C-alpha cells in the first residue's frame, strides 16, 4: 500500500510551485474580467486570489484535496490540482468500488426484487432494502461529496488535471472560481427507484459533477465535464427505464445567482445543465442570473440548459449532435418564468434533427433569439418553434423583459463555432 503524502502549502513545496500556465502566467490568481457576464455584477468574482501563501496548495490525491478544502471554510484559498484525483479512494489512497460502500445487506438484485412495480406497485420504496440502499449511499457520499467554501479558487495544473468520481458542491458559498479542470464521472452506486416520476417511474441519481446550490458569484471556466468511464448509455434497463448513474454535469439551483460559465465543454451526457430545479421554487425569482458563453455542448441529450425563473444570457455557444445520436431530445429548455436571451449560437446536427427540435417549452412564455446558425444556415428559433409546436405548446414571445449589458464582445455564430471548437475545455486556456 502506498504511503500517504502530507499536504503542505505551495510556498513550502518548491518542486510544485511552477505557474499553472505554459507562458509563465500564474492563472491560479486570475480573477473574472470586469463585465464578463453575470458573475461580474457588483463585487465581481475573485475566488481565492487574495489567499496568503499558507493557503495556496497543490494537491495530488483525495486526502490532500479534502484537507485543502478545509470543510468548505470561507478562508481565502487557492487549490491547484495536479494529475488525476479519484474521489472513490480511502484515506490511504486505496481504490473503492460500489461493493466497498454497500452495507446492511444491500444488493441490487434484492432491491429490484423488492420494488418491482408488478408486485410492489406505485408506492415509494420503503423497508429493509431501501433502508440499506440509503445507508450504502451515505457511505459513498462521505467519500465523493466535496464542499467548496467562499473565496476559493480550484484550478488544474497544466493540461491534464482531472477530478474523477467527485461531486464538487458549492452550497451557500460566495465568490468561487473553478478553472482548467476535467470533472469526470460523478457515478452514483445506489440510484433510487421513484415509481411516480414521469408517469412510468424512473431512476434518480444523487450527484452532479458540479452543483451550485444557493451559491453566488461563481465563475466556471475552461472546464470539461462528462461521464467518461461509465456512460449511462451502457447501463442496463430495469423496470423498463435506463438505470441512470449520473445526474447533471453542472446544475445551478436553490436560488444560486450571478454565475458565468465560459469556454467549457459538456459532453457525453443525458441531462447536462439545470438552472432552477422546481416550478414551485418561487424564492428563485430575481435570482438564477447566469451567463453561458463560448461553451460546447456535444453529445448531450437535453438540458443545455433547461431554465426556470432565471435571466440567462446564452451567447456564442456551440452545439454538436453526432450522426449516430438517436436519443436527442432538445437543447434549450424554456420553463416557468424563464427569460433566456440567446444570441449567435451555432448548431451542427444530423439530418433527423430539425430546427423545431432545438427548443422545448414547459410552461414557458418567452425566448429572445437572434443570429442562430443551423448547420451553417441562419434560422429563427422562435418563429420555427411557434410554427411547429402550435397546438401542443403555447407560443413563446420575444419579450423576455431584459437586455444583457454584462458581456464581452459577441462574435458571429460562425466565428464562435470555430473558436469554441478549438479553444473550449480544460487544458486550453490561451
Amino acid at each position: 500500500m502506498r504511503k500517504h503524502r502530507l499536504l503542505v502549502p505551495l510556498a513550502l513545496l518548491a518542486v510544485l510551485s511552477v505557474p499553472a500556465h505554459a507562458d509563465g502566467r500564474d492563472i491560479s490568481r486570475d480573477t473574472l474580467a470586469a463585465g464578463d457576464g453575470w458573475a461580474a455584477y457588483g463585487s465581481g468574482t475573485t475566488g481565492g486570489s487574495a489567499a496568503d501563501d499558507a493557503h495556496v496548495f497543490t494537491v495530488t490525491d483525495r486526502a490532500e484535496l479534502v484537507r485543502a478544502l478545509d470543510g468548505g471554510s470561507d478562508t481565502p484559498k487557492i487549490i491547484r490540482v495536479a494529475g488525476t484525483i479519484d474521489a472513490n479512494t480511502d484515506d490511504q489512497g486505496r481504490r473503492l468500488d460500489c461493493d466497498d460502500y454497500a452495507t446492511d445487506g444491500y444488493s441490487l438484485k434484492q432491491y429490484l426484487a423488492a420494488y418491482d412495480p408488478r408486485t410492489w406497485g406505485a408506492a415509494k420504496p420503503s423497508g429493509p432494502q431501501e433502508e440499506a440502499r440509503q445507508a450504502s449511499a451515505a457511505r459513498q457520499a462521505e467519500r465523493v461529496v466535496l464542499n467548496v467554501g467562499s473565496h476559493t479558487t480550484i484550478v488544474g495544473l497544466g493540461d491534464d488535471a482531472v477530478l474523477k468520481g467527485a461531486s464538487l458542491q458549492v452550497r451557500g458559498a460566495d465568490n468561487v472560481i473553478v478553472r482548467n479542470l476535467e470533472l469526470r464521472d460523478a457515478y452514483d452506486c445506489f440510484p433510487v427507484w421513484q415509481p411516480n416520476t414521469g408517469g412510468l417511474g424512473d431512476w434518480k441519481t444523487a450527484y452532479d459533477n458540479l452543483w451550485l446550490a444557493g451559491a453566488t458569484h461563481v465563475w466556471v471556466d475552461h472546464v470539461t465535464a462528462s461521464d467518461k468511464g461509465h456512460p449511462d448509455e451502457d447501463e442496463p434497463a430495469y423496470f423498463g427505464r435506463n438505470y441512470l448513474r449520473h445526474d447533471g454535469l453542472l446544475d445551478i439551483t436553490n436560488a444560486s445567482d450571478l454565475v458565468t460559465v465560459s469556454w467549457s465543454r459538456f459532453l457525453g451526457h443525458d441531462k447536462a445543465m439545470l438552472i432552477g430545479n422546481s416550478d414551485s421554487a418561487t424564492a428563485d425569482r430575481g435570482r438564477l442570473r447566469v451567463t453561458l458563453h463560448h461553451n460546447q455542448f456535444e453529445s448531450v441529450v437535453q438540458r443545455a440548459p433547461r431554465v426556470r425563473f432565471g435571466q440567462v444570457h446564452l451567447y456564442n455557444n456551440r452545439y454538436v449532435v453526432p450522426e449516430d445520436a438517436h436519443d436527442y431530445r432538445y437543447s434549450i429548455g424554456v420553463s416557468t418564468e424563464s427569460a433566456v436571451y440567446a444570441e449567435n449560437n451555432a448548431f451542427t446536427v444530423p439530418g433527423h434533427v430539425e430546427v423545431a427540435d432545438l427548443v422545448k417549452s414547459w410552461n414557458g412564455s418567452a425566448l429572445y433569439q437572434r443570429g442562430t446558425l443551423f448547420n451553417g444556415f441562419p434560422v429563427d428559433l422562435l418563429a420555427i418553434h411557434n410554427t411547429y409546436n402550435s397546438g401542443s405548446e403555447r407560443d413563446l414571445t420575444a419579450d423576455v423583459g431584459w437586455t444583457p449589458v454584462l458581456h464581452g464582445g459577441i462574435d458571429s455564430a460562425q466565428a464562435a463555432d470555430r473558436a469554441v471548437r478549438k479553444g473550449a475545455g480544460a487544458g486550453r486556456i490561451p
Side-chain angles (χ1 to χ4, degrees), residues 211-234:
W211 180 32
L212 313 184
T216 53
H217 288 108
V218 180
W219 180 30
V220 179
D221 178 68
H222 282 91
V223 162
T224 297
S226 76
D227 299 342
K228 185 176 180 180
H230 291 98
D232 279 337
E233 63 186 21
D234 291 346

Side-chain angles (χ1 to χ4, degrees), residues 69 134 253 276:
L69 287 168
Q134 292 180 23
T253 66

Side-chain angles (χ1 to χ4, degrees), residues 5-21 26 28 56-61 64 78-83 85 155-158 160:
R5 291 183 296 274
L6 293 175
L7 175 69
V8 294
L10 181 64
L12 302 180
L13 197 61
V15 69
L16 290 175
S17 63
V18 294
H21 197 266
D26 182 2
S28 67
V56 181
F57 307 100
T58 294
V59 298
T60 61
D61 62 21
E64 293 175 351
I78 293 171
I79 301 172
R80 296 174 172 176
V81 176
I85 293 178
V155 62
L157 284 172
D160 62 352

